[in-house]
Amino acid sequence: MNEFFKKASSKISKLSPEQLTSLIEALYSENNSFHSILESLSTGLIITDNDWHIIQKNKAADRLLQLKHRSSDSLESSIVWDCIETEEIASFLRNASNNKNTNISDEFSIPTESGVRFVTVSVLPLVQKNVQDKTKVCTLITGSIITVDDITSKRQQEIILHRMESLASLTNLAASVAHEIKNPLGAISIHIQLLQKAVKKARAGDGLLPQPKFMENYLDVVNEEISNLNKIVLDFLFAVRPVHSNMELTDADKIVEKTADFFIPQFKENGVELETRLCHKEQRLLIDEKLFREVLINILQNALHAINSSKKSDGRVLILSECDEEKYILKLRDNGCGMDENTASHVFEPYYTTKADGTGLGLTMAYKVIKEFRGDISVDSEAGKGTEFTITIPVPQKDTKLLGEK
């Protein structure tokens, strides 16, 4: 069809009115077919000129990015990032323009009324061939092609699969513990109740039993211990219960910075210096912002307690981060009282605590949260010198590579 239009355009001055009408109808039909294909794509598509003004877009792009007017100009003539509500995506496209990037891609999370949508936004060059003569063909970049793919289902399936893998061992362990402890507890409780009834009945008869409160004191203690054991079982089941997270693509360094700023006044009151050295690479991680902040709060509170316990006058906490294409690493280091090797090896276990008023579940929950992020958390400590927690979280990997990527 393209060859037909080339030949027709070269002889357009010689065409009759009927032939011109036929040519225009053919052009109109092909344009309609092209438009129908464009609108039928599930991938969002935006075509821009070299100045990043929108030339054409499809319904999928409208739906996925929720394109809106921000000026009196029509949407088709607006600069593309001015029509995008999600600031991270708008910034991504502005940077692509400023840096003249033609083959880039990144993932973003967009909050919606029903949850979070995950999308991959890619920028490709719009290439056109310019035939100058029969022997020379010039290739020109006349704009950009922006594609938007909805990967929400894929990311959610990955999260669910990871949770199922984590729950498999935890569920079996919890069921085993519950069975081993609750069954004997039930039997003990029943027999104690029978014993109490027998004692009460016998004392009302011949009166040969010990004085009141003699046996009952022991029975009360046993009942109390049964209640304690039952609480342990319930707490354990709580500790292995799955974490309810709302995963989004988030800049982890921004969360760390905000959390550190929140703690600085409290640390100053205790004469402790809190310093951050963050890489600020703006690499987004698939995490829950609220849960990640709770992990940081727990570790920073432990660090402050350790420094106060050591009674050092030069208390200091240092937070460092680094990031590459595969992982994000965060280190939280203090010069507090530290821990010996045995204590450090148990810090993530439920109910293990060195604090008089501690529950022993804080670091257990921190461990669960980081594992929910498909990451890892470890501790390195030395008694009298300090402690360092290291959190490693994977950077979401893209399955597709753009042209020109190796």
Side-chain angles (χ1 to χ4, degrees), residues 27-38:
L27 283 170
Y28 181 76
S29 176
E30 181 158 334
N31 183 68
N32 275 347
S33 296
F34 171 76
H35 186 265
S36 297
I37 293 171
L38 195 66

Side-chain angles (χ1 to χ4, degrees), residues 274-327:
L274 177 58
E275 180 185 357
T276 58
R277 297 179 190 172
L278 307 178
C279 60
H280 288 298
K281 286 191 176 181
E282 298 183 355
Q283 184 68 271
R284 288 178 297 279
L285 309 178
L286 192 59
I287 59 177
D288 182 307
E289 181 175 344
K290 180 181 177 182
L291 292 177
F292 186 58
R293 186 182 291 111
E294 288 179 2
V295 170
L296 298 176
I297 289 173
N298 188 279
I299 295 176
L300 288 174
Q301 287 176 337
N302 285 344
L304 182 58
H305 180 271
I307 292 172
N308 289 338
S309 298
S310 67
K311 299 181 180 180
K312 290 183 178 179
S313 59
D314 59 342
R316 185 167 182 264
V317 174
L318 178 61
I319 307 176
L320 309 97
S321 73
E322 57 184 88
C323 187
D324 56 30
E325 294 182 356
E326 295 184 354
K327 60 184 178 298

Side-chain angles (χ1 to χ4, degrees), residues 10 72 92-93 104 117 147 164 186 220 225 285 287 325 363:
S10 66
S72 58
F92 168 73
L93 295 176
I104 57 172
R117 176 186 294 133
T147 63
M164 290 177 64
D220 289 342
E225 288 303 317
L285 309 178
I287 59 177
E325 294 182 356
L363 288 177

Side-chain angles (χ1 to χ4, degrees), residues 157-386:
Q157 287 176 357
E158 289 175 353
I159 293 170
I160 292 172
L161 180 61
H162 174 70
R163 288 176 180 173
M164 290 177 64
E165 291 173 349
S166 300
L167 281 174
S169 58
L170 290 176
T171 302
N172 291 335
L173 178 61
S176 176
V177 171
H179 176 76
E180 293 297 326
I181 296 179
K182 289 186 75 70
N183 285 348
L185 287 179
I188 292 172
S189 179
I190 290 172
H191 284 79
I192 288 178
Q193 291 175 36
L194 294 173
L195 180 59
Q196 287 174 324
K197 290 180 180 179
V199 169
K200 184 178 180 180
K201 182 178 180 180
R203 183 172 287 121
D206 54 25
L208 297 178
L209 289 173
Q211 293 295 320
K213 298 293 183 182
F214 180 80
M215 293 180 63
E216 283 87 337
N217 286 341
Y218 293 101
L219 294 176
D220 289 342
V221 170
V222 173
N223 274 324
E224 183 179 348
E225 288 303 317
I226 290 175
S227 296
N228 290 336
L229 286 172
N230 191 58
K231 183 178 182 301
I232 290 173
V233 173
L234 294 176
D235 287 344
F236 177 80
L237 292 174
F238 171 78
V240 299
R241 191 173 292 128
V243 175
H244 297 288
S245 60
N246 181 24
M247 308 284 268
E248 296 184 31
L249 288 166
T250 308
D251 186 342
D253 272 351
K254 288 184 179 179
I255 302 174
V256 175
E257 198 166 41
K258 288 180 182 178
T259 307
D261 289 342
F262 173 79
F263 270 97
I264 285 176
Q266 182 182 356
F267 275 57
K268 282 185 177 180
E269 287 181 4
N270 288 268
V272 179
E273 179 186 358
L274 177 58
E275 180 185 357
T276 58
R277 297 179 190 172
L278 307 178
C279 60
H280 288 298
K281 286 191 176 181
E282 298 183 355
Q283 184 68 271
R284 288 178 297 279
L285 309 178
L286 192 59
I287 59 177
D288 182 307
E289 181 175 344
K290 180 181 177 182
L291 292 177
F292 186 58
R293 186 182 291 111
E294 288 179 2
V295 170
L296 298 176
I297 289 173
N298 188 279
I299 295 176
L300 288 174
Q301 287 176 337
N302 285 344
L304 182 58
H305 180 271
I307 292 172
N308 289 338
S309 298
S310 67
K311 299 181 180 180
K312 290 183 178 179
S313 59
D314 59 342
R316 185 167 182 264
V317 174
L318 178 61
I319 307 176
L320 309 97
S321 73
E322 57 184 88
C323 187
D324 56 30
E325 294 182 356
E326 295 184 354
K327 60 184 178 298
Y328 170 86
I329 300 174
L330 182 69
K331 296 180 181 291
L332 299 97
R333 183 184 303 159
D334 69 69
N335 64 344
C337 60
M339 299 175 282
D340 57 36
E341 185 176 349
N342 180 63
T343 302
S345 65
H346 294 286
V347 293
F348 298 117
E349 296 178 5
Y351 316 114
Y352 188 87
T353 181
T354 57
K355 300 178 184 177
D357 57 348
T359 62
L361 291 175
L363 288 177
T364 301
M365 292 304 295
Y367 180 86
K368 285 181 62 180
V369 168
I370 298 303
K371 287 298 182 181
E372 173 74 2
F373 300 162
R374 285 181 281 183
D376 195 16
I377 180 171
S378 60
V379 61
D380 184 20
S381 187
E382 186 174 350
K385 293 188 176 182

